[in-house]
Structures are given as C-alpha cells and as structure tokens.
Amino acid sequence: MNNKNHQPSIEEEEIVQQHVKDYIKELLPQHQGLLKELEDYAAAHHVPIIQGEVAALIQVLVKTSKAEKILEIGTAIGYSAMIMAEAMEEEGRIVTLERNEKMVALAGENIRRGGYENQIQIIPGDALETLHFLPGDYDLIFMDGGKGHYREMLDLAISLLKPGGLLISDNILYKGMVSSEELVQRRKRTIVHRMREYLEYITHHRELTTSIIPIGDGVALSYKKN
Ligand SMILES: C[S@@+](CC[C@H](N)C(=O)[O-])C[C@H]1O[C@@H](n2cnc3c(N)ncnc32)[C@H](O)[C@@H]1O
C-alpha cells in the first residue's frame, strides 16, 4: 500500500492483513459437526456470521465474565448464539432478536438440532421495537443487527445492561470503510457515517469504558461502569 497511485480495493483493505488472518485461522481449532455445517451454509448463502477469531474472543469473554444472561441483537442462522451458549454454564440463558422470518425459522431449527432450545430464546420482530418492552439486567449484550441502526439501539441496550456488564459490538470498522474515506462505497455512505457516530458515542459515553479491537471486521468492547 506504499504506492501513492494505488487505489486499495475493499477486498485488499481488510482490517487485518490476509497472512495474519490465515495464520490465526489455521491456529485456532476448527469447529466440527453442526457449527461447521453452519459455517459452510453461511459461506454458501452469504449469511454474514461472526468470523472464527471473533467467535474465539467472544467465547473467552463469555467464560471470563461468567455471563448468565445474554441478549443478542441479530440472530441470523443462530450461529453466534450457539457459540455463546457453548461457552456458558447449562443454566445460562440467551435472548436473541431477529426480524427476518426466514432466519427466525432457520435459527429455530438449528438451535433445536444443537439441543439449545431451553437455553436460547428467539424473539421475532424488529429489535428497534422489541428492545422497548424487554425486561433488563443482562450480563452481556452482543450488538450484531443492522449496522445502520446500532446508534438508535444503543441507549436502550445500555439501559438493559447490568452495571459491570459488557456490550460487544461487531463489524464496527466495516471493511476498513469507517476509518478510511477512500474506501467508502457510495451506497454504504450512510451506514459508515452512522457507524462513526456510534463509535464516537461509545468511546465518549460517561457510563462506558470502550476498547476498539481491529480483528474480524472490527469489534468494540464496552464495559458498563458500576
Ligand atoms: C450479521 S447478521 C447476524 C449474525 C449472527 N449474529 C451470527 O454471527 O451468527 C445480522 C442479522 O440481524 C438481522 N437484523 C438486522 N436489523 C435488525 C433489526 N432491526 N431487528 C432485528 N434483526 C435485525 C438481520 O436480518 C440479520 O439476520
């Protein structure tokens, strides 16, 4: 990227250099069974599930925080919900919000096949509405729904998070577009603009201590102060 005339493409400008990603991918144990099947399904059907290194980070965070109640915004096929459930104790509970009916059905089936139906509850519908009537006190919230709506959901999400709880936000660097104007595709301008506002907000919020981690597509960890 030292050539001044070189216009980086989105593919080239991943957040982490490809050889580093490949190395980490090879190093981490590969999933087997249903999780591997879901990874293959997601790749074949372009469903944007969390990347392997992010899955590993989330499992470490779920285990170290000993989270008993988790809220997820954006279920898709139920992959990340099962990644989190796997890291929780059996009594742990996850509520996950999804507005796409096809995804709700697919996730429901996958969660049943994984044997997590007692641990993971899917609430169908738009999270922007569901968040208003959801009872609170979550130990961990995973923000992974519509990228343009993180900011709109944030205040409600913070109010549902216990003091001492953790908010994890995925895709916050959005293929490098958030940090580089050169990379912003025209049709993504609004999302990128909103994501920048979101990052400004969570990094300066008086109730949060936030760290931005450039792995996967960018992950923010925000601790809610006691
Ligand atoms: C990135 S995918 C979630 C991936 C999933 N967390 C995983 O890693 O396995 C985002 C999902 O959020 C859903 N979504 C987007 N906006 C939403 C909203 N306002 N309310 C509920 N679900 C939403 C989309 O339909 C999509 O399935």
Side-chain angles (χ1 to χ4, degrees), residues 9-155:
S9 70
I10 293 298
E11 286 72 29
E12 283 173 292
E13 200 65 24
E14 291 288 339
I15 302 206
V16 180
Q17 289 182 354
Q18 194 57 48
H19 69 93
V20 179
K21 284 187 84 154
D22 292 345
Y23 175 73
I24 296 173
K25 195 174 169 194
E26 276 189 28
L27 196 61
L28 290 171
Q30 302 298 300
H31 291 124
Q32 309 290 331
L34 182 58
L35 287 176
K36 171 80 173 86
E37 194 188 304
L38 296 194
E39 287 164 10
D40 292 344
Y41 178 92
H45 295 84
H46 309 289
V47 181
I49 60 169
I50 46 169
Q51 299 182 27
E53 61 272 35
V54 176
L57 172 69
I58 290 177
Q59 287 201 320
V60 170
L61 293 170
V62 169
K63 282 175 190 270
T64 50
S65 67
K66 299 186 170 51
E68 291 172 359
K69 264 184 84 179
I70 294 181
L71 172 64
E72 174 180 69
I73 303 169
T75 318
I77 55 175
Y79 178 78
S80 52
M82 284 195 271
I83 286 285
M84 293 190 284
E86 201 181 59
M88 293 173 97
E89 300 292 332
E90 244 176 69
E91 314 77 58
R93 292 290 176 267
I94 299 176
V95 171
T96 179
L97 314 182
E98 176 57 58
R99 70 173 174 194
N100 180 320
E101 284 176 20
K102 188 180 160 205
M103 290 297 163
V104 170
L106 268 173
E109 176 60 14
N110 291 331
I111 287 165
R112 192 195 58 70
R113 285 178 64 205
Y116 289 113
E117 62 269 49
N118 293 331
Q119 262 182 289
I120 304 173
Q121 179 196 4
I122 308 172
I123 304 188
D126 192 328
L128 283 163
E129 288 164 25
T130 312
L131 286 171
H132 283 279
F133 64 77
L134 214 55
D137 265 10
Y138 289 95
D139 301 304
L140 191 152
I141 297 183
F142 181 40
M143 180 81 85
D144 196 23
K147 309 305 154 206
H149 297 290
Y150 279 18
R151 175 65 191 90
E152 269 171 274
M153 296 186 191
L154 183 67
D155 293 330

